[in-house]
Amino acid sequence: MSLNSVVESVTSRIIERSKTSRRRYLTLMERNREKGVDRSRLTCGNLAHAVAASSAADKQELVFEQRANLGIITTYNDMLSAHEPYAHYPEQMKLFAREVGATAQVAGGAPAMCDGVTQGQEGMDLSLFSRDVIAQSTAVGLSHGMYDAVALLGICDKIVPGLLMGALRFGHLPGMLIPSGPMISGLPNKEKVRVRQLYVQGKIGKDELMKAEMASYHAEGTCTFYGTANTNQMMAEFLGLMMPDSSFIPVDTPLRQAVTRAGVHRLVEISTKGKTPRPMAEVVNEKAIVNAIVGLMATGGSTNHTIHIPAVARAAGIIVNWEDFSDLSAAVPTLCKVYPSGPSDVNKFNEVGGLPTVIAELADAGLIHRDIPTVSENGLEDYAKRALLGNDKNVVYTPAKPSSDVEILRGVKDPFHPVGGIQLLQGNLGRGVYKSSAVADNLLTIEAPARVFNSQTAVKEAQKAGELHRDVVVVVIGQGPRGNGMPELHNLIPSLGVELDQGFKVALVTDGRLSGASGKVPAVVHVGPEAQVGGPLAKVRDGDMIRVCARTGQLEALVDEKEWNARTPTKPHRATAGTGRELFALMREVAPSAEQGASPMQFMMDRELDEIGDDVEKGTEV
């Protein structure tokens, strides 16, 4: 099947738009390879420090034989369920590396916060910017120059994008993301939502709610809904940065360990000292980024990735925008219904075909680039295969089969929707992102009076007081990167869901963002320019009629144009001190828009690289 014309066109314009920045990035990576810090160029004193704690055998290989050495960046902690399994990964990986004549060292650690714990709390204001801290921590670990390839241990929310952003600045090295897998399924998601709404209505107490929550999030492993964490795994597979079919193998199973072992062996093969070196800078190219966006649309993944994919792309010198997302969404059908888009979780999705079936369908339809280099030997072809445990306890791969349950996963010829799960809405209120895959067809158009708020707490108080018991578009301002660090507003969904279930027309419009489990409430998020910098959301007044239409792509305040233009934007209330939020003041001051990736670090780095761009390309030492 030839490549879809829209996919081809979007890819071509991304390549053209990124021509200068991508060239400079690749030139800088080549400079790092030739002149940057490397074990072969360390002094005797440098090297002695780096191997002082190693075994005698490892010292021999690291110093005198110069065998491949893997650098492990771990985001382990035992509070975060998805990352608790990583406690013993480094020791296991060192054994796996020795099996193929290589070594491994923990290069460094990076923080991993849980958005599920900080949801609705002050600590959530640190969440998005923790991605930059993770990227910087990754760079600190790799700065020692001891490594021939990089193993990234991370799964959740900001963690995977942060790891990728940091590792891509060492893109002359091969890299691989190694997940730990989802927890076994707990309380059905539909029941979890029902209990939450009963609590909001005051029909049950906190103890009963607590029991339901603990039955949902009950063990080690990734949460099983298709939110940001699991969308990260999809993104990494579509980028070709993980072992094929490794996203949703359950935690702590023989197959999970076998895939990790195979990943370590493969990483040694593609290391700078391996048989077939495959630098990360070559794997994450323009085609791979397009594949990741296509995967997002086809699976109905998290809206957070309309921030994360641009940020990861920029780390590799590639510039994408929401027009690219919008055009690809119009060409890519929705193939999956996984909670919050449907009742089933990722474990069930994986059982009925999972990502190998999705990739096979998209490849056969010409909707993704087949000709991309990946960490796997045969490129994207390998990702359309199912991982199984062979009789010898090693991984074997077989071709993906069609879905065994079309209520969860369908083919391109019979999709759930002919277009992708995420759309761009725009108008006189700015540009924002809308997750249509989780919204009922009869709610794709909402026209109702506005009620404006400065915080999610104020929204919940108004709902409890009965003030939202009507048709309403809830507008929450001051929630963007420069406003308060852009915390997720997921706590609003149960409250607004109650009003929706009463038959009212309800929508949310905000310059903030939602959890990957944003659910059934029509919501336009990441609206930019944000209110904090005078964006049009700051002009909305209580009672203004607002039109939110996913069918036409409209995001409009139905206000007389002359009156609208004469309005002075409201300056949102800004509370940013306490719970460590003041430590991130500098980040808030320079953060770029959500569409640009919302990374203050990236913004400053791009500016600096622009200033020395000519020197980079001329090979002048910088």
Side-chain angles (χ1 to χ4, degrees), residues 356-400:
T357 297
V358 173
I359 291 172
E361 285 285 337
L362 294 171
D364 288 347
L367 287 167
I368 52 178
H369 294 280
R370 294 170 177 260
D371 58 334
I372 62 168
T374 69
V375 297
S376 191
E377 183 176 3
N378 301 308
L380 193 69
E381 178 184 334
D382 287 346
Y383 292 79
K385 296 178 180 178
R386 184 100 267 190
L388 301 171
L389 194 65
N391 293 332
D392 59 356
K393 305 301 182 184
N394 289 320
V395 183
V396 295
Y397 284 97
T398 61

Side-chain angles (χ1 to χ4, degrees), residues 290-371:
V290 169
N291 282 0
I293 299 174
V294 169
L296 179 68
M297 299 306 167
T299 60
S302 169
T303 53
N304 275 318
H305 282 74
T306 62
I307 302 175
H308 294 328
I309 291 177
V312 171
R314 282 176 179 264
I318 300 166
I319 303 171
V320 297
N321 60 37
W322 288 345
E323 299 290 348
D324 303 323
F325 282 75
S326 180
D327 288 353
L328 289 170
S329 181
V332 177
T334 301
L335 305 183
C336 308
K337 283 285 186 182
V338 187
Y339 184 81
S341 299
S344 300
D345 66 10
V346 295
N347 289 324
K348 189 64 178 176
F349 166 69
N350 194 51
E351 287 177 19
V352 304
L355 287 183
T357 297
V358 173
I359 291 172
E361 285 285 337
L362 294 171
D364 288 347
L367 287 167
I368 52 178
H369 294 280
R370 294 170 177 260
D371 58 334

Side-chain angles (χ1 to χ4, degrees), residues 608-622:
E608 183 167 300
L609 289 178
D610 281 343
E611 292 175 358
I612 63 171
D614 290 341
D615 291 335
V616 169
E617 296 201 62
K618 290 175 183 176
T620 305
E621 191 62 27
V622 291

Side-chain angles (χ1 to χ4, degrees), residues 203-214:
K203 295 181 179 180
I204 62 171
K206 193 170 184 178
D207 286 351
E208 198 167 342
L209 173 65
M210 191 71 234
K211 289 178 182 178
E213 295 291 345
M214 291 179 70

